[in-house]
Structures are given as structure tokens and as C-alpha cells.
Amino acid sequence: MLAVLGFLSLASFMLVVIKKWATALVAVVTIPIAVLLISGQGAALPDMVAEGIETVAPTAILLLFAVLYFGIMMDAKLFDPISRGIIRLSGGDPVKICVGTAVLALLVALDGDGTTSYMIICSAFLPIYRKLGINPLVIATIATMALGTISGTTPWGGAATRAISVLQIDATDYFVHMLPAMLLMSAAIIGLAYLLGRSARKKISPERIAEATAHVSSGRHERGPGGTLLTKATWRTWVNAALTVTLLVLLVLGVADLLVLFMLGFIIVLIVNHPKPSDQGDVIRSHAANAVPVVILVLGAGVFTGILTETGMTTAMADALISLIPDGAEGMIPAAAALIGIPLSFFMANDAYFFGIVPVLAESAAQYAIPPEEMARAAVIGQMAHSIGPASAPLWVLLGLVRASLGDFQRFAFLWVLAASLMYIVFAILTGAISVGL
């Protein structure tokens, strides 16, 4: 009976979210409560809700300060000098431009917000792409792979935030073990960008490349509308860069919990970039629009997981799935979850996938002593596929920027993204982020 109610909860939630009959926040809170009342355990509702929210509160706090931190970095235009420097180093060579696109895309994806990342990348590189005649779908493909890797993997990027909160795991433990695979995948994306650049260069005449080279050499790419010189790096730019690098190093070393690091980091960059107290409140309010909805969703997920866990529904559903696993194949569960996560992430919204599918897979894996951290890492690998799927909201912004249809883009990008996703699984296995037992 519990398994039936559990699957009913998941199916109802996924249907409501996919059909857009209600927001994910409303669905993730009301549906488990309704099922709990049907099960006759309504008296335990307050305790279950409190237990669930308590487990996800650290993740919500981490997300809040991480979004505020990178919001200030974007306001300070931390990556603008980098993008102009990359174009300068490219010298108008399509291969170097594509590689530079990948480098910048990987850096700005640290922000976690896809729309912001795409706007920064396109504003920096689309003019030179058009001047050279490089297919704009190249920049879109590189950008989506970078966003799916970085934003999809970092604990503050949205996808991993959902996995961490719904599986009630430690963000630092999840991320430190996933970081080597993420770095390898980042290097692979740069390699794929090199191949895309080689292919693009073959289609461009030497005269057009020479014209673009002259454009870059003259410094015209560093001038805005009207020929005004774009802002150069200031002392604050260097301080912001040093603080961001220090923060990431401390994160890898595990000096403190992620939420502590980002809380302190946010306070420092707030003071550095906005020393006037009157300005600080305005900055926080301006970025609250990005942070608050996701934080509320994470807290709502606590209600969902609290009820399904405390009632025993998750365990009952896992037991039902375990009966379908062939003998001797239990050790392949993380790799199998990563593999099936590619098509599921492509077609499904992240809310439906992470709140509906991932908890059941993790509970099934737990029956074989496979830790939930591994299942969380396996679950996020499909984010590159999600970034080119119709359920990815930022993708529609990107398609508008490059003036392309969804069908044309998917035909161009699909094989590149599929190859990259499979490579990510291999990297995760090789680095021990997910295990394979035979």
C-alpha cells in the first residue's frame, strides 16, 4: 500500500509539473500532504514537515549566499576583461575563438544562472562569430555543454542543489569527490570546442579571417556603441578575482562547510564592491529575485522528502524496484542511473526528475550500501542533455540570441552533447565519483 501511495505521489507531482497545472513549489508541498491525509497519518504532518525542512535548511542557506555572491561578481563585470583578453589572444583565428568561447563559458557558468551566462557569452563573442561567418549554433553548443557541466554540477547551480536537498546529503562531500570529474569534463569541452573550431575554419575564406584579424588587432572589439572604450579592469576586479579563486581553493581543501565559505565570501565582496551601507541593501534586494524562488523551492522539497521518508513510502518504492534488478548487477546501479539520466534529463523538467525519480533510485541503491552521494553525482551528469532539451528555460533565451530554431539547434548539437555526456560518465567512474561494482 505504501509503495502504491508513493508512486501515486510521484506520478501526480510529475504530471502536475509537466502539464503546468501548478508551480513546482505548490505541487511539491500540496501533493505529499494530500497523500499523507489519504494514508490516515495526518496527525504526524507537523513533525514530518519540520523534520524535512530541517534537513534541507543548510542547502537553502548555501544556495542563498552563493547566488548573492556570484550576482555581485556579475555586477562587477568580473569576466569582461577575461572575455576581451581571450578575443585579443585569438587573433581572429576561428579555432582559438571557439576555444576561448569554451573557456569563458566554463567560467561564467559558475554563476549558476543559465540566462545570465548565455547573455554574457553571446554579448562577448557573437559579434566576432558573425564577422567571421561562424555558424552561431557553434557558440550555442559550446555554451550549453559548459552550463550543463559547471552549473549542473556545482552545489549552488540548481540541479545539484535539488539532488543534495532531496537526498539530504552533505554538499561538501558531494562536491569534493565530483570536482575531479568536473574538471576533466571541462578540459574535454575545451577539446570539443577545438574540434568545432577546426570544422568552422574549413568553411571560412582566408580573406574573411584576415579581415577579422585586423578587426581584433585594431582593438575595435574592446569598444562599445559609439566607439567608446569599454571599462578596463580596476583594483576591485583583481580583488574579486583573488577572492573567487581563494573561495574555490578553500572549498576544495574542505576548510569549512560550503555555506560558511559562501556566507563569509559574500560579506567580503559586498563590502569591497559596495562599501556604502545604503548601497548594500539595494544590491541584496536586486539579487533576491534570483535567490528567493529557488530557496523556497528547496524548502518545499523538504516537505516532500520529509513526508515520503517518514511515512516509509520511499523505502517501499525502492523495495519494489529492487525486485526488478537482476542478480549480480547491483554494483552497476550508479552507472546505470547516470546513463538513463541522460534521456530523462533531456525530456523532463529538473523539478520532476530530481524530486520524482532520483529519490527512488537512491533508496534502491541504499539497499546495496551504495551511498546517496554517489547517486546525486550520477543524477547530475545528464544536465548537458537537459540544457539542450525543451524543458530548459534558459535555452529559449539562447536561441533568441543566436536567432535559431530549437529543431535546427538540436540537430546540430545532439551528437556533440551525447558524446560529452558519455565522456562525463567515464570521467566520473575513473575518478571514483561513482563506483562500478562487478
Side-chain angles (χ1 to χ4, degrees):
M1 180 61 179
L2 284 176
V4 173
L5 287 175
F7 284 119
L8 177 64
S9 298
L10 298 184
S12 300
F13 171 75
M14 293 166 63
L15 180 64
V16 167
V17 171
I18 292 171
K19 291 291 186 179
K20 298 183 180 179
W21 291 338
T23 63
L25 173 62
V26 171
V28 83
V29 173
T30 58
I31 289 176
I33 291 177
V35 174
L36 180 67
L37 296 176
I38 293 173
S39 70
Q41 302 182 57
L45 175 62
D47 291 337
M48 291 182 181
V49 170
E51 181 69 24
I53 291 178
E54 183 179 347
T55 58
V56 301
T59 300
I61 296 171
L62 161 65
L63 181 61
L64 173 64
F65 285 104
V67 170
L68 291 174
Y69 178 92
F70 283 109
I72 291 178
M73 292 298 99
M74 293 303 164
D75 286 347
K77 302 187 182 302
L78 174 63
F79 300 106
D80 281 11
I82 298 175
S83 65
R84 293 195 293 270
I86 289 172
I87 294 176
R88 192 184 311 119
L89 289 173
S90 73
D93 181 1
V95 175
K96 293 179 181 178
I97 287 171
C98 289
V99 169
T101 303
V103 172
L104 181 64
L106 292 165
L107 289 173
V108 299
L110 285 168
D111 171 53
D113 179 67
T115 300
T116 302
S117 298
Y118 292 154
M119 291 179 69
I120 292 173
I121 297 161
C122 289
S123 64
F125 281 96
L126 259 183
I128 195 70
Y129 270 67
R130 286 174 176 149
K131 181 167 286 293
L132 277 166
I134 301 175
N135 188 341
L137 295 179
V138 172
I139 193 173
T141 301
I142 295 171
T144 50
M145 288 193 295
L147 185 76
T149 298
I150 302 299
S151 180
T153 302
T154 52
W156 56 88
T161 300
R162 290 172 171 84
I164 291 167
S165 61
V166 79
L167 299 184
Q168 304 173 12
I169 59 177
D170 179 73
T172 303
D173 187 40
Y174 152 83
F175 188 49
V176 168
H177 291 87
M178 190 65 177
L179 189 57
M182 187 185 79
L183 294 175
L184 286 174
M185 191 63 244
S186 299
I189 288 174
I190 293 173
L192 293 173
Y194 172 82
L195 295 178
L196 283 164
R198 286 281 299 269
S199 177
R201 188 167 60 185
K202 294 176 182 178
K203 303 173 184 177
I204 303 171
S205 66
E207 293 77 16
R208 199 159 189 175
I209 293 177
E211 181 184 347
T213 300
H215 175 80
V216 172
S217 300
S218 67
R220 278 176 280 170
H221 72 286
E222 298 188 2
R223 295 184 179 273
T228 56
L229 191 65
L230 296 174
T231 304
K232 295 292 185 179
T234 66
W235 67 268
R236 283 193 174 92
T237 305
W238 295 110
V239 172
N240 288 333
L243 285 171
T244 302
V245 172
T246 301
L247 178 65
L248 296 176
V249 170
L250 293 176
L251 183 154
V252 173
L253 296 177
V255 173
D257 288 341
L258 285 177
L259 67 90
V260 175
L261 292 174
F262 272 106
M263 182 184 294
L264 295 177
F266 165 69
I267 296 299
I268 294 172
V269 297
L270 182 64
I271 295 171
V272 169
N273 292 275
H274 304 280
K276 294 181 180 179
S278 58
D279 294 338
Q280 293 172 2
D282 293 337
V283 170
I284 293 173
R285 281 188 291 272
S286 69
H287 293 292
N290 293 326
V292 171
V294 186
V295 171
I296 293 176
L297 183 59
V298 170
L299 295 174
V303 177
F304 188 87
T305 55
I307 291 175
L308 264 65
T309 301
E310 296 299 318
T311 56
M313 293 181 197
T314 306
T315 301
M317 289 186 288
D319 289 339
L321 290 179
I322 286 171
S323 63
L324 303 176
I325 300 175
D327 293 337
E330 300 86 359
M332 298 298 294
I333 290 177
L339 191 61
I340 65 174
I342 296 174
L344 289 178
S345 296
F346 177 83
F347 288 109
M348 295 177 66
N350 274 340
D351 294 324
Y353 175 61
F354 283 100
F355 296 148
I357 303 296
V358 174
V360 180
L361 294 175
E363 187 65 26
S364 300
Q367 306 299 318
Y368 300 101
I370 297 172
E373 291 81 4
E374 280 196 34
M375 298 304 292
R377 296 174 199 133
V380 302
I381 287 176
Q383 283 303 292
M384 276 186 282
H386 176 75
S387 67
I388 69 168
S392 173
L395 175 61
W396 298 100
V397 176
L398 177 62
L399 293 177
L401 292 170
V402 300
R403 301 172 189 171
S405 69
L406 178 64
D408 288 342
F409 170 65
Q410 289 180 339
R411 279 191 292 273
F412 182 89
F414 181 77
L415 291 179
W416 292 96
V417 172
L418 177 61
S421 299
L422 295 175
M423 290 169 66
Y424 206 177
I425 295 176
V426 173
F427 293 148
I429 293 172
L430 293 176
T431 58
I434 61 176
S435 60
V436 176
L438 301 176

